[in-house]
Amino acid sequence: MFQKPCALRVMYLGTASFMVLNASVVRAQDTEQNQATQNNTIVVTAQKREEAIKDVPISIQVIDEETIEKEDLRNLQDYVDLIPALAIEQSSFAGGSGDVRIRGIGALGGVTNTWALYVDGFDVTGGSRGGASIRLADAERIEVLRGPQGTAFGRNVVAGAISITSETPDPGAISGRLAIDAGSNDTYGVLGSINVPLSDDAAIIASGFFDDTDGFVTNIGPAGGTSSQRNFGGRLAFFAEPTSRLQIKASIAYEESDFGVRGGIPDGDLFPTTAALIEGIVNQGLNPFFAPGDLDGELTEFFPDQNDTVSLNRPEATNSNLLTAILRLDYDFGDVSLISVSGYNRQERSALIDADSSEIDSIFTASNSTTEFVSTELRLQSNGDQIFDWVIGAYGGMSNSESLEEIFAGETIRNSTFIPGISNDILAAVGVLTPQDRALFASNQVFVIDTEPGQFFERFPGSFDGEFAAVFADGSFELTDRLTILGGLRYNYDQFTQRREEFIRSFALPDLTVPPGIFPDSLVPLIQGIRSSFVFPANELTVDSDALTWRVSSTYEFTDDLTAYATISTGYRPGGPQVGNVQVRREADGSIGIDDEGLAFEPERITNYEIGLKGGLFGNRAQFSLSAFRMDYNDIQFTVLDLLSGLSVTGNAEGRAQGVEFDFRASVSERFTLSGGLAYIDTEILDTGIAGDPRIGQAFPYAPEFSFTAIADYQRPISGDLELFARATYSFVDERNDQFRGTDDAEQVVLDSYNRLDLRIGLERPDNWRLEGFVENATDEIYATSSFVNGFSLNGSQFITPPGRQFGARFIKYFN
């Protein structure tokens, strides 16, 4: 599958990746891994070396091991809930963790991410658009770098980066932990890890997890079922230090998830085109897909009145699995170190979906995809704390993705009559025809669709390949004891090839006769039977992109505990091919002809201007970070609908984002800690290239103006080493646009603001055991984190909603 040119293959076969967790590691990578702070000062390695967080000219937020365990963080959505200015568009495809927004920046189109998720320095999202369902049983810390990271990480980080660090095996002693939990909706799970020394300089960690839930969404339709979910996985990590100069780290991890009903809750609010279909055809008994009365199902309450009921006639099932292997080598020459990290992952997903999202058995879909990604990077850097610190490196990687989606007719499909006058009503509803135009079709009286249950309507096979390479350099120079200048350059080269096999539409409508000269030539193919049966021919397109990304920064220490910084940084997201665009023409014999040339869209580029202040107060008992930024976002990859083909294509738009972020952590007393963050973000689409487009002037999707998180943690000794603890986590997210649906204001969904409160209380003997009870979403608030829609939905948009109030208990035993 990876038969690529030798030049790139040589680069990554012998070297390894710099993506060493360079994001924002809270503690030293190889030493002091059990300390979240050194003298209450958080230590990060965002610039490839250990530094106090206040000395790094980047907006960074850290979730440490203690918070991961106390909050029982399991997936990307859990992490997002704790960090303002971070949002996620959850996928309608169960098993996909969704597309992340950082500072309001996220993918509006295109084929790659605007962010990256790293596990131990390896980009697990490098091969596909969207997130990976990463869950590690031995995660040690999570770091979020806000803003473009083009110098350190290269492509696809115009929004920022998230890095998860797993625990490093310890040759010192056997240790481990076992956690058991149970809760609402018949939820139960077990998670554990054990550290085993192999010698004085080698050890392994074996970890794993299993959890199962019936889910909170019930299908009251004929198919029954719930939004059940079963997850399991494990990881084996190895560490060795055969000499005082060489360290070896390796790991292999596998996880798998099985889902039942997707859990998308309908709102009953049909988009204009679907509403016209229902009102203009179904009510007159003339629709080819179902008869009158078929829509009279049991589901009468829609979101937001309820968030736990759907009504589907077909069972749904989704499977997702991920295999990841990582190898890191560190060699210390004395004055310099050589570091390499290589990684490979493989993601597989399959789904069977009731596409009409109703009790009517009209349409269902089956899909599957496989994505493989491999990368390697080599980095040479100076050691120690010198006046001039530097790093140089090279990177290479490649990806391959294969996918197939098929759309099938359900059991209610029948031979039916279709009256063009009503079709014209539908076209008029979306602005294609005026009432005066309808009289032109008086000669076209009745048409018939010939379909059979189980017949496939459309078939979308395709593949997508990528090849990546980069070289980079970064350095910092201490002009004085207090003033440091930093800079970096990175050259990126990316090549993408998109292939589409024959794309088939098999259902047919007879052609309409359109009098000449009435409509613009561009609309005639749409009206003259665009929905007739035809085959889109196989096609292939390769697109190359390259860019030089850079940053210039400075830091100034007012005191040992207070630092200001200023940064100008750039980011880059590669352009790509789209072979779905078509032009339809009428042949001399009356048949449909297709022109399919393929188009390319331009790379995205972003420039970030940022100033900040970081420091500590009261002997570092309180730490804070304040930043203000403006990002100019150019050539945004922006998806629009091609009316001729019915497929989405990508153009380029312009926009900007600006705002303020504030993070804090304070030890109010020996027993009470308060932490959290606040973000204000102002985003705007400045231009889409479409005259009069109502999206111009709107905020970016999933970019709340305000967001806030606060965590209060209290511990009190009650007897000997026995402690009582209580923890409250509150978050607020302002209203925000959902993903843009089209060019009509009526088609835009706005997600309401929400408040969420989680509570935990329990007892523990530190480093021995911990017992807790919890209430999640304690106020039982109904809200949506994202929504999606497809053209077949008969119940409106589908909203992804977290469960209402949930109760549970958890017990953790530590072994030392």
Side-chain angles (χ1 to χ4, degrees), residues 603-682:
E604 287 183 354
R605 300 177 190 274
I606 195 167
T607 303
N608 176 50
Y609 306 91
E610 183 173 336
I611 57 174
L613 191 66
K614 301 180 181 183
L617 303 171
F618 314 113
N620 267 336
R621 290 177 61 85
Q623 296 112 34
F624 73 92
S625 173
L626 176 65
S627 61
F629 64 89
R630 177 187 171 96
M631 295 189 288
D632 293 330
Y633 201 7
N634 301 312
D635 293 321
I636 304 170
Q637 292 164 17
F638 197 89
T639 295
V640 295
L641 182 66
D642 179 3
L643 289 176
L644 293 178
S645 67
L647 301 177
S648 295
V649 297
T650 299
N652 289 100
E654 304 293 323
R656 62 117 180 98
Q658 57 192 13
V660 178
E661 299 157 335
F662 176 68
D663 303 315
F664 66 92
R665 178 182 177 87
S667 298
V668 180
S669 70
E670 185 178 352
R671 299 173 180 173
F672 181 56
T673 301
L674 186 65
S675 61
L678 170 70
Y680 167 77
I681 304 174
D682 175 32

Side-chain angles (χ1 to χ4, degrees), residues 2 119 122-128 132-136 209 232-236 251-257 319-326 342-349 369-375:
F2 290 105
V119 174
F122 173 65
D123 183 3
V124 296
T125 56
S128 62
S133 55
I134 290 294
R135 181 184 173 191
L136 299 178
F209 64 89
F232 66 90
R235 176 176 178 268
L236 183 64
S251 66
I252 184 168
Y254 177 82
E255 60 181 273
E256 184 168 344
S257 299
N319 175 270
S320 174
N321 64 74
L322 173 66
L323 173 69
T324 304
I326 303 170
S342 295
Y344 166 83
N345 76 351
R346 177 184 175 92
Q347 300 181 53
E348 296 179 320
R349 293 175 178 170
S369 65
T370 300
T371 299
E372 291 179 286
F373 176 70
V374 60
S375 72

Side-chain angles (χ1 to χ4, degrees), residues 358-409:
S358 73
E359 289 189 13
I360 301 168
D361 189 16
S362 60
I363 302 289
F364 66 97
T365 64
S367 62
N368 61 75
S369 65
T370 300
T371 299
E372 291 179 286
F373 176 70
V374 60
S375 72
T376 186
E377 188 159 324
L378 187 68
R379 184 179 83 215
L380 189 67
Q381 69 179 48
S382 61
N383 285 335
D385 185 10
Q386 304 174 16
I387 293 178
F388 177 63
D389 292 319
W390 55 268
V391 57
I392 59 174
Y395 165 84
M398 62 182 179
S399 66
N400 171 266
S401 180
E402 306 282 345
S403 63
L404 173 65
E405 181 179 11
E406 295 180 299
I407 304 174
F408 294 90

Side-chain angles (χ1 to χ4, degrees), residues 277 287-291 294 313-314 356 359-364 407-417 448-457 506-508 531 792 794:
L277 175 70
N287 183 263
F289 298 115
F290 40 86
D294 283 347
N313 68 282
R314 281 186 174 271
D356 56 63
E359 289 189 13
I360 301 168
D361 189 16
S362 60
I363 302 289
F364 66 97
I407 304 174
F408 294 90
E411 293 299 323
T412 61
I413 291 297
R414 57 176 64 82
N415 291 341
S416 301
T417 58
V448 176
I449 292 181
D450 185 13
T451 55
E452 297 179 359
Q455 172 184 331
F456 78 83
F457 282 164
S506 67
F507 59 97
R531 295 181 65 81
F792 306 111
L794 302 177

Side-chain angles (χ1 to χ4, degrees), residues 31-52:
T31 62
E32 301 178 342
Q33 293 187 4
N34 296 320
Q35 299 178 13
T37 63
Q38 295 179 4
N39 298 323
N40 289 326
T41 300
I42 298 175
V43 176
V44 299
T45 58
Q47 299 179 135
K48 321 291 194 306
R49 63 187 70 254
E50 298 173 21
E51 299 170 287

Side-chain angles (χ1 to χ4, degrees), residues 559-595:
T559 70
D560 290 343
D561 297 325
L562 184 64
T563 300
Y565 72 88
T567 293
I568 304 176
S569 58
T570 63
Y572 152 79
R573 184 183 180 210
Q578 49 191 3
V579 298
N581 64 288
V582 298
Q583 299 295 319
V584 183
R585 66 178 185 274
R586 179 71 57 190
E587 303 289 5
D589 61 2
S591 63
I592 295 291
I594 306 296
D595 292 329

